[in-house]
Amino acid sequence: MFNLGDFPLPFRETNMEPYMSAETIRIHYGKHLATYIANLNKLIDGTKYADMDLHEIIVNSATSVADEKIFNNAAQVFNHEFFFNCLGRGNNMTPDIISDAFGGIAEFKEKFKSVANSVFGSGWVWLTHDKTTGFEIVATKNADTPIAHNKKPILTLDLWEHAYYLDWQNRRADFVDAFLESMIDWKFVIDNMNIK
Ligand code: MN
C-alpha cells in the first residue's frame, strides 16, 4: 500500500507562483498523483507486486502487456514524485557539470526545449545519465520512464496538459521556457545525481 504522505510535496502550494499556480499544484499533486496512487493500490492488491517497492514494480511490469495498467500507474507515481522534487525557487543556476556536457548553458537549454517541444500529446522530457552514454535529453510518451530503460533520471518536466493548462493554456513552449529559467531546484538535481 502506498499513501500520498509517502510522497510529500517538498514546498508550499504557492511556492511556484506565478509560473505554476497553487490551484495547479493542488489538483496536480492532490488529485492526479493521489489517483495514480489509489489506482496502483487497487491493481496490485493480491498480486506478486503487492510486496514490492515502487522501483521493483516499475521494472518488473515494464515488459508485461498484461500488467500495462500497473506499469502506467506505478511509473506515474514515480515520475510525479521525481518531478515535484525537481521544482523549487532560488537554486536555479545551471550547474557546470550540466552546461559543460552540452557545450554551454544556452546549448543545454536549447536542446532541452527542442526535445520538449517535439513531444506530441502526453509525455515527459528528461535529462538522464548513464555511464556509457553520459548525459542525454530524451522524451518519453505517456507514463514511460527512464528507470524502465536502465537510465538514471536527473531532471524532468511533466508535459501532460494537466501540468500547465490552467496557467499557460496552449502556450506549452512558454511553460517549458519558464521551467528552465525559473522553476528548477538544481540543488535537488545535483544531490540526486551522485555521479561526480
Ligand atoms: Mn502530471
Side-chain angles (χ1 to χ4, degrees):
M1 279 283 285
F2 297 95
N3 297 292
L4 190 59
D6 300 333
F7 310 96
L9 192 66
F11 46 76
R12 293 158 58 97
E13 286 175 343
T14 54
N15 191 58
M16 302 311 299
E17 289 185 339
Y19 311 108
M20 187 177 279
S21 61
E23 187 183 14
T24 291
I25 299 273
R26 261 197 304 278
I27 296 169
H28 199 175
Y29 176 80
K31 303 287 185 194
H32 288 275
L33 175 54
T35 299
Y36 292 126
I37 293 169
N39 288 343
L40 180 61
N41 284 333
K42 267 186 244 160
L43 288 163
I44 63 175
D45 187 32
T47 74
K48 66 176 181 180
Y49 297 103
D51 296 323
M52 295 183 191
D53 68 28
L54 192 58
H55 192 277
E56 289 170 329
I57 295 173
I58 291 168
V59 170
N60 282 281
S61 63
T63 54
S64 164
V65 174
D67 295 333
E68 188 180 0
K69 284 184 185 168
I70 290 176
F71 174 80
N72 283 339
N73 284 281
Q76 284 294 77
V77 173
F78 171 83
N79 291 347
H80 281 89
E81 180 194 30
F82 194 86
F83 172 58
F84 288 123
N85 276 304
C86 287
L87 297 179
R89 304 289 298 279
N91 292 300
N92 200 236
M93 284 276 288
T94 309
D96 290 345
I97 190 171
I98 304 296
S99 56
D100 290 351
F102 291 88
I105 293 175
E107 287 79 2
F108 162 70
K109 288 179 178 175
E110 281 312 307
K111 176 74 180 166
F112 193 95
K113 283 186 216 182
S114 147
V115 175
N117 292 335
S118 75
V119 172
F120 186 82
S122 295
W124 300 79
V125 57
W126 303 84
L127 174 66
T128 64
H129 185 272
D130 80 36
K131 286 190 177 72
T132 50
T133 54
F135 289 105
E136 289 179 292
I137 297 171
V138 297
T140 59
K141 289 174 93 70
N142 300 317
D144 199 13
T145 185
I147 62 174
H149 307 283
N150 241 334
K151 287 188 190 294
K152 183 175 173 54
I154 304 294
L155 175 74
T156 194
L157 175 59
D158 188 342
L159 294 171
W160 287 54
E161 281 191 349
H162 65 232
Y164 63 87
Y165 208 83
L166 291 177
D167 305 313
W168 299 90
Q169 295 81 45
N170 60 312
R171 292 175 292 123
R172 192 179 75 170
D174 292 345
F175 170 63
V176 174
D177 286 350
F179 174 74
L180 287 168
E181 297 305 324
S182 308
M183 297 167 66
I184 300 171
D185 180 357
W186 280 111
K187 185 178 183 314
F188 164 80
V189 174
I190 293 295
D191 290 349
N192 180 62
M193 281 198 299
N194 194 25
I195 51 176
K196 278 187 233 177

